[in-house]
Amino acid sequence: MRVVLGVSYRGRAYHGWQAQADRQTVQDVLEAALRKFTASDIRTVCAGRTDAGVHGLNQVVHFDTEVNRDAASWVRGTNCFLPADVAIQWCVFAAEPFHARFAAQGRRYSYVLLESPVRPAIEAGSVGWVHYRLDGEAMRQAADLLLGEHDFSAFRSSECQAASPIKTMRSISIAKQGDYWRFDFDGSAFLHHMVRNLMGSLLAVGRGTRDLPWFAGVLAGKDRKFAAPTFPADGLYFVGPYYAAEYQIPSQTSAMGWLPGAPQP
């Protein structure tokens, strides 16, 4: 049986998604919970690895098992063994050709940012923060330059293991609700630190310390050292992947309505 799960998590306590020998990760605690629930060794495959501190709204994972449970039991039973900041949201069963990573048609990220002279407290760790005013129209003009297929080497971490820096950005929306900005990115795939690196450069344009020709030159130059510094992970959410309708994989979770700002595209 190929089991597919949608997992939400608050990433602040974890060193990213992927299991590591010496640091706690989301994959570690999920697989430990699955082992306790099934009394068997289960290894998961995810749709997209997230970095330390990055949150997940609908991370999709799959695994193969001979354990026979109904969908509701997989959700409730595994959640009994998970910490409060990680929870399975849904379960479906798929035919073996489905693959959480390779079947994904695209992925979505959101960044939530507080614009305020005072740092966040209640939402600390869940939003990014700037103390200066931002020009939304300037940032939207810069974001428009990213649409389509590009070599995103200028926004790629030196530790990135992707085979190619060429990705397709399908849409970017930037909206403000009260003092909170929301940046929504939809693309074929994303490089290591790509969204956080894009945020750093978009905010430089929004602040007015850099202009549109500079941003265009950074993209065209394909050199990371000319872009702005990587922005913190606090406000970054992996909204999740999406798939062909035939797989019937849920693309929404309740937490998506909790985030401030523009609705999902």
Side-chain angles (χ1 to χ4, degrees):
M1 178 183 296
R2 178 151 292 187
V3 180
V4 187
L5 304 176
V7 187
S8 293
Y9 50 90
R10 190 168 188 255
R12 199 174 190 193
Y14 303 97
H15 199 78
W17 168 266
Q18 188 174 17
Q20 298 182 35
D22 58 344
R23 293 177 177 178
Q24 179 170 254
T25 70
V26 183
Q27 186 178 19
D28 288 330
V29 299
L30 175 62
E31 292 182 351
L34 287 167
R35 282 195 297 274
K36 290 177 181 177
F37 176 58
T38 64
S40 63
D41 190 27
I42 290 177
R43 300 296 178 183
T44 58
V45 177
C46 75
R49 292 177 293 181
T50 51
D51 299 331
V54 177
H55 316 293
L57 299 184
N58 193 33
Q59 171 71 272
V60 175
V61 306
H62 84 259
F63 56 89
D64 295 329
T65 180
E66 296 180 357
V67 176
N68 188 10
R69 302 283 191 275
D70 62 30
S73 294
W74 280 109
V75 174
R76 292 195 300 265
T78 309
N79 280 346
C80 288
F81 299 103
L82 284 168
D85 53 4
V86 182
I88 296 172
Q89 302 297 306
W90 51 261
C91 170
V92 299
F93 304 111
E96 188 170 327
F98 173 82
H99 192 285
R101 177 185 174 192
F102 297 127
Q105 296 180 327
R107 294 159 178 82
R108 296 175 295 161
Y109 280 88
S110 291
Y111 198 101
V112 180
L113 178 75
L114 173 65
E115 179 191 307
S116 170
V118 180
R119 64 172 174 82
I122 301 299
E123 67 277 53
S126 298
V127 299
W129 172 55
V130 295
H131 58 80
Y132 43 80
R133 301 283 293 179
L134 292 169
D135 182 336
E137 186 55 35
M139 292 189 292
R140 292 184 192 97
Q141 290 178 14
D144 284 346
L145 299 176
L146 301 171
L147 300 180
E149 185 179 84
H150 297 282
D151 183 328
F152 284 97
S153 293
F155 305 103
R156 178 183 192 177
S157 164
S158 60
E159 300 175 356
C160 183
Q161 299 177 0
S164 170
I166 298 174
K167 307 297 176 187
T168 300
M169 189 73 74
R170 294 175 179 147
S171 69
I172 301 176
S173 63
I174 302 173
K176 191 179 184 187
Q177 178 178 306
D179 292 329
Y180 297 90
W181 290 90
R182 175 142 160 205
F183 299 74
D184 288 309
F185 302 86
D186 183 328
S188 59
F190 291 82
L191 303 168
H192 189 208
H193 285 176
M194 180 172 160
V195 175
R196 292 172 59 192
N197 291 335
L198 287 171
M199 284 297 301
S201 291
L202 287 170
L203 294 178
V205 173
R207 188 179 187 180
T209 56
R210 298 290 188 179
D211 58 16
L212 201 60
W214 169 83
F215 191 90
V218 168
L219 177 62
K222 307 174 188 177
D223 192 328
R224 176 72 189 99
K225 68 173 178 281
F226 295 119
T230 305
F231 206 66
D234 292 354
L236 183 56
Y237 294 80
F238 180 42
V239 177
Y242 49 90
Y243 301 90
E246 64 192 80
Y247 292 121
Q248 299 184 329
I249 303 298
S251 61
Q252 297 288 320
T253 66
S254 57
M256 293 179 188
W258 171 80
L259 289 186
Q264 285 297 314

